[in-house]
Amino acid sequence: MRVVWTTSTGADPRLTRVLPGPRADAVAQALVGGVPVFVTATDPHYDGDCARPNTHDCGAQMVQVWDAATGELLRTVPDVGGEHLVAATVDGRTLAVVCDWSATPKLVDLESGVVLRTVGVHQDIVQGLAIAELPDGPVVVSVGFDQNICISSLSAAETLVVPAGERLDGLSVIDLDGRAVALIAGRESVGLWDLELGGVRIGSIPVPRVRRIASWPGADPLVALLPWEGDVQLWDVSAGERRPCGVSRARLSDGIAGVVADDGRRLLALGCPEDVRLWNVEADRAAGPPLVGPTSWCALAVGGPGTLITLSGADEAIGIWRAGDDPGRPDTPDTGPMSTVRCLTVSPDERILAGCTDGSVGTWRLEDGARDRTVGVLPARVNAVAAVPLGDGVGVIAGAGDIHETRDDALHRWLDDGPDEPVTVDHRGEIRIIAAAVLDGRPIALTAGCDTTPAITDLVTGERLGEKPGDRMPDGIAVGELGGRPVAAVSRFIGPF
């Protein structure tokens, strides 16, 4: 077999190193014994959702220390882990605080691998950790569902509990006019809490339901907020003003981090399900194409100037990236898909049609792989795509899935390169299978979804022509010709063919 053409643009030159190995959920950079390391924390996960359930213990918790230069595993601390992880140096020792889906953060000595003690006195799920430098020494700030802010000394077993009066989510600490101030997301706003005054609330940012907060190093009053709903917002905390920010929140985006480029410009990194988007905050524009590599469902951490660290549990790798506007190669978003291709077909006019997880339906010329155009964008991931002759042209049809509370019952139709003309086919919120054919001169689609009834739809009129009920959900359909007539072969889940 030989590759005639491919949409791949090759390895991204901004990816300077890949360290394989960890299946983990959080990452931090530190010095342990004078050696630069990456610290990772692993949270248990359900083996039914794991792509490689037989290659590791899906229920294991651990903190691991990796040599940042070689990727060598230096130490494993078992039975402690989670998705929340911060690291700090206290009295010459490098410590980590880690917490899983529980109310009990734990303090770990990374040089000895000893779990020293628990941190904080929460009564419900912890939702965020951050390190702050106070005049009396470093502290870890933790917040959670119990409506309490815990300010815990890392050098002594002392904790100050500050009631907030509401459930708390995201957390970040900034230097505001020389004072350590915690930004903590509540239900209706993001509160500003002066840590040096013992956790006194000194203001708020009127943005509700924020899940992640990012800041930049140094005395920088700028913060980025990632709400549960809506796009990323940029705020100047000192002035109490919202700044322009054109980066759109992608579905299921989770990680967010502030990166300083080599020349001092502020960049915002936004983790999406398959890539990481960089945004130039100063110019309010994209900082090159997305980072694509070991970036599937990744955690983010900031290294030195111009360095971003990604940790992908799905890819089982740490990536070290050069973060800046110049990607080191032309920005060519039209040469390949911007997300994972889920389905392919060849159209009668010799084009490749691809449906992607970001909802796009793209086309490439079969002859040489040149990008043709994007047919359209669906509101959810594309599960199936097909094409059928339509007079002298081509009809393209696609069906979407059900993702992140976005349900799409429509069969999307593009007739002769025209606009999308969706028609509801009612497969319980999802179309999983599409087969196309021409029946008595009429282009039709045979579709199936989450119900047990495949349906036949006239592609031109949108009329439902027929259906074939059954007692089990279809999981495969093929259309062919038998005795001069189009026929469909249908297989059903744990049932007859």
Side-chain angles (χ1 to χ4, degrees):
M1 184 181 71
R2 65 188 181 91
V3 176
V4 178
W5 55 262
T6 174
T7 60
S8 172
T9 54
D12 193 321
R14 295 171 294 177
L15 180 59
T16 60
R17 277 184 299 149
V18 176
L19 304 180
R23 180 197 63 81
D25 302 276
V27 62
Q29 194 173 29
L31 282 174
V32 175
V35 177
V37 300
F38 295 120
V39 185
T40 61
T42 301
D43 204 24
H45 61 272
Y46 173 50
D47 57 4
D49 293 333
C50 182
R52 293 179 289 277
N54 298 318
T55 62
H56 56 254
D57 181 1
C58 295
Q61 279 187 315
M62 67 190 78
V63 169
Q64 294 180 296
V65 181
W66 308 81
D67 189 302
T70 66
E72 177 187 359
L73 177 60
L74 302 178
R75 179 166 293 105
T76 296
V77 184
D79 303 324
V80 59
E83 63 173 332
H84 302 296
L85 170 70
V86 291
T89 300
V90 181
D91 299 328
R93 296 186 305 166
T94 303
L95 307 178
V97 181
V98 64
C99 190
D100 56 10
W101 186 252
S102 74
T104 312
K106 296 179 180 178
L107 183 64
V108 181
D109 187 322
L110 295 177
E111 299 193 19
S112 66
V114 174
V115 179
L116 301 176
R117 55 185 167 86
T118 60
V119 177
V121 286
H122 288 284
Q123 304 301 316
D124 206 339
I125 306 300
V126 170
Q127 284 290 85
L129 300 173
I131 297 293
E133 292 289 340
L134 300 185
D136 294 335
V139 299
V140 60
V141 184
S142 55
V143 299
F145 288 169
D146 63 353
Q147 306 185 10
N148 288 331
I149 304 167
C150 289
I151 306 171
S152 306
S153 171
L154 290 178
S155 56
E158 300 175 353
T159 295
L160 173 65
V161 179
V162 180
E166 60 179 334
R167 199 178 89 166
L168 304 173
D169 288 306
L171 165 68
S172 184
V173 173
I174 66 171
D175 181 333
L176 185 63
D177 299 327
R179 303 182 68 83
V181 172
L183 283 85
I184 302 173
R187 296 288 88 186
E188 301 299 327
S189 65
V190 175
L192 278 62
W193 303 79
D194 191 318
L195 299 176
E196 297 186 24
L197 294 178
V200 175
R201 184 160 183 162
I202 58 174
S204 63
I205 300 174
V207 183
R209 292 181 53 78
V210 170
R211 63 179 310 193
R212 296 283 187 268
I213 304 173
S215 58
W216 284 265
D220 194 329
L222 207 63
V223 297
L225 310 179
L226 176 63
W228 283 97
E229 299 175 357
D231 290 333
V232 176
Q233 296 191 24
L234 200 63
W235 284 79
D236 184 321
V237 177
S238 181
E241 297 177 349
R242 183 174 176 178
R243 292 268 301 271
C245 183
V247 61
S248 295
R249 173 185 181 272
R251 280 194 305 270
L252 296 178
S253 55
D254 183 50
I256 190 171
V259 186
V260 177
D262 291 330
D263 59 4
R265 287 171 301 119
R266 288 172 290 195
L267 305 177
L268 179 65
L270 179 66
C272 300
E274 297 174 330
D275 56 36
V276 176
R277 317 236 175 125
L278 292 178
W279 194 258
N280 186 329
V281 171
E282 318 296 340
D284 197 22
R285 61 175 175 80
L291 306 179
V292 179
T295 52
S296 300
W297 301 98
C298 66
L300 302 177
V302 178
T307 301
L308 179 69
I309 301 159
T310 62
L311 167 68
S312 170
D315 297 323
E316 297 188 350
I318 296 173
I320 298 92
W321 300 82
R322 178 176 58 83
D325 279 290
D326 178 15
R329 64 180 179 188
D331 184 354
T332 53
D334 291 331
T335 61
M338 298 304 291
S339 63
T340 296
V341 173
R342 292 179 53 84
C343 47
L344 290 167
T345 193
V346 178
S347 70
D349 57 354
E350 298 187 341
R351 290 184 298 168
I352 295 287
L353 292 171
C356 302
T357 54
D358 64 1
S360 62
V361 178
T363 60
W364 290 263
R365 289 194 321 208
L366 185 60
E367 179 183 35
D368 55 11
R371 181 67 178 263
D372 188 1
R373 65 186 183 86
T374 299
V375 175
V377 179
L378 279 59
R381 66 189 179 198
V382 183
N383 282 340
V385 63
V388 65
L390 189 67
D392 295 330
V394 174
V396 176
I397 45 180
D402 179 357
I403 186 169
H404 195 47
E405 301 178 355
T406 299
R407 297 172 65 88
D408 185 25
D409 283 314
L411 175 65
H412 294 265
R413 305 175 296 158
W414 296 270
L415 310 177
D416 284 334
D417 291 333
D420 185 11
E421 299 181 26
V423 56
T424 299
V425 291
D426 190 20
H427 286 305
R428 294 187 183 173
E430 185 168 11
I431 295 178
R432 295 182 174 181
I433 304 168
I434 298 176
V438 177
L439 178 64
D440 296 331
R442 305 172 72 178
I444 64 165
L446 181 60
T447 59
C450 293
D451 58 345
T452 61
T453 305
I456 301 174
T457 302
D458 186 307
L459 290 185
V460 176
T461 66
E463 178 188 359
R464 189 160 181 149
L465 301 178
E467 55 189 34
K468 182 65 175 176
D471 59 353
R472 295 183 185 273
M473 187 173 67
D475 59 8
I477 295 177
V479 172
E481 189 173 284
L482 180 64
R485 295 288 294 173
V487 297
V490 181
S491 63
R492 295 180 182 271
F493 178 69
I494 316 179
F497 173 78

